[in-house]
Amino acid sequence: MDSLAKSGNETLDIKESLKTIICRELYMEDIDPAQIGDDDLLFGEKFGLDSIDAVELVFQVKAHFGVAIRDMKEGRKVLQSINTLAAYIEAHRSA
Amino acid sequence: MRIDGMGVVGGFGCGISDLAAGMEEGRSPAEFFPLSTVHGELQVPMLLADTAVLSTMADRRTLRRIDHHTRMALLACLLAMEDAGISEPAAESLGIIVATGYGSTCNTFDIQELCPAADMRSFSPIQFSNSVHNAAGAHIAAVLRSRGPNLSINQFDLSIPMAFLTAAHWLAEGRVDRVLVGGVDDFARIMAYHRHCRFSGRQVGDSSPAAAAVGEGSAFFLVSDHAGSQDGVSVAWAESGFSDAPKIPGFDLCVIGADGFSPGEEAYGRCVSGPAACYTHLYGHLPVGMAFDVAAAVLSLRAERVYASAGGGVPMPGGPELISETRPLESGQIHCLKIGAAGGYGRVLLEKR
C-alpha cells in the first residue's frame, strides 16, 4: 500500500514538473501549468506546440529526468499528453 | 533611396518620439545596473532597451521563442512600418537586411560558457537556434511573412553603411520594391566591464562622448527607390573604406559616432571642419550605433533643426566643435560619420528633397 502511494505521488510530481517545464522552457507565458490537463493533446490546437517544441521537450525530459526518447515512432506516442509522457518517464527512469 | 519610415528602440526609450525627446533634453538616460564579474558585483552604467510593447504589436505565441536580440530588431522593424503607414508589405518584394556587430551576444556567450563545463543540461535547442547569426533576420521574415531576400551583415562598427549600400543595390537591380534595413546589437557584458575599467571614475549623467555607457538597441529603416518622389528624406550616399575618412564639406552638418571606445577618434577632428553633432549619450556604445546617428539625422532633416549635442556640446579632445544649442538646420544635407575601431570609416549622406 505504501509503495503504491509512493508511486502515485511520484507520478503526480512528474506530471506537475512536466507542466511547469512546458510552460517555462517552451515559453508558454500565457498558459498556467494548472491549465494543462493530464489527457490534453500537447501538439493540438489548444497549446499550438510544434516540431521545434517537440525537440525541446525531448531535450528537457532528458535534462530533468535523465530519460532519453530516442525513437521517433515511440516519441509520437510518448509526447501525446502529460499522462503518456509521465508513464514513459516512470517506466524508464528506474530501468 | 527614400526613407519611408523608421523605428528605434534603445536606452532612450521606444519609438522616434522618445528619441526626439531625448535629443531635445540632451541628458544621458543611462542608469546603473549590477554586473557580475570575477571581482564581484559592480555597478555599471548601461543603456538598456525595453521591448515590452512588442507583445501589443505581434501575436504572443509568435513571439514566445524569440530572444531579446531579435525582439529589439523586430520591434524596430514594426515601428518603421508603422511610421511609413504600412501594415503588411508585399511578401515577395520586401528585402530584409540586418546589420549587427556582435550578433546575439547574451545568448551566444551563455552557450559558450556552458560548452567547456560538464553541465550541458541547459544547452537547449531553442536557445541554440536563437544564437544562429541570421536568427533575427529569419524571425523578422517569418513574422512579416516576407519571402524576399534576407541578409545579415557583420562588419563590426562599419556594418551600417554596408547595409545601406546593399539595400541601394537591391533596389537599383529591381530585386525588391522595399527594404527593411537597420541594425541591432545586444548589451555586451564584456564591453561593460571594459568600460568600467576604463571610465569608472566618471558619473552617470556625464554625457560627454568619451564616457558613453555600453548600450543596446535597434534602429530600422523602411527604404524604397525614390525615383519620382518629390519630398522626404533619402539616403544619397553610403560608403565604408579603410583609407582615411573623406573631408566633410564645412557647410554641412556631420553627426559623428564618437563614443570613446575607438582608438583614433581624434580623426573626427581631421575630417570634420564644419558643425558637428554627437548623440552617443542617448544610445551608448554599440557597434551598430551609427544606425541611431542616421535616425537622429533623419529627425533633424524632418524637423529642419539641429539638436544640441551630448551635454550641450562638450568638446572632445582633438575633435570637431560640437553644436551646443538647438538651432535651425541651414543645409538640406547631413553626413553621418563613423571612425571604425579597427581603422577605416563609414559614411552615410542623407538629404531632404
Side-chain angles (χ1 to χ4, degrees), chain B residues 12-30:
Chain B
F12 52 84
C14 178
I16 52 178
S17 55
D18 280 0
L19 179 60
M23 290 167 72
E24 288 271 9
E25 203 173 317
R27 191 177 60 82
S28 175

Side-chain angles (χ1 to χ4, degrees), chain A residues 26-70:
Chain A
L26 303 187
Y27 304 95
M28 304 289 288
E29 291 161 0
D30 55 339
I31 287 185
D32 188 84
Q35 288 176 263
I36 304 176
D38 291 354
D39 282 318
D40 283 347
L41 282 178
L42 296 176
F43 292 85
E45 278 186 16
K46 184 173 180 181
F47 304 117
L49 300 185
D50 57 26
S51 56
I52 298 172
D53 295 308
V55 176
E56 183 73 29
L57 198 48
V58 167
F59 166 79
Q60 294 294 344
V61 167
K62 177 79 170 82
H64 284 86
F65 303 103
V67 173
I69 305 168
R70 296 184 196 282

Side-chain angles (χ1 to χ4, degrees), chain B residues 154-178:
Chain B
N154 175 215
Q155 200 179 334
F156 198 57
D157 49 3
L158 303 181
S159 305
I160 291 297
M162 193 51 69
F164 275 113
L165 197 55
T166 307
H169 280 299
W170 285 4
L171 291 167
E173 290 165 4
R175 293 179 67 181
V176 288
D177 294 333
R178 285 193 162 96

Side-chain angles (χ1 to χ4, degrees), chain B residues 117-157:
Chain B
D119 182 15
M120 298 288 282
R121 285 158 43 103
S122 302
F123 199 106
S124 122
I126 290 176
Q127 194 180 4
F128 176 74
S129 72
N130 277 320
S131 75
V132 173
H133 196 58
N134 199 39
H139 279 302
I140 292 165
V143 170
L144 298 179
R145 300 180 196 283
S146 163
R147 294 191 293 276
N150 188 315
L151 182 71
S152 290
I153 288 182
N154 175 215
Q155 200 179 334
F156 198 57
D157 49 3

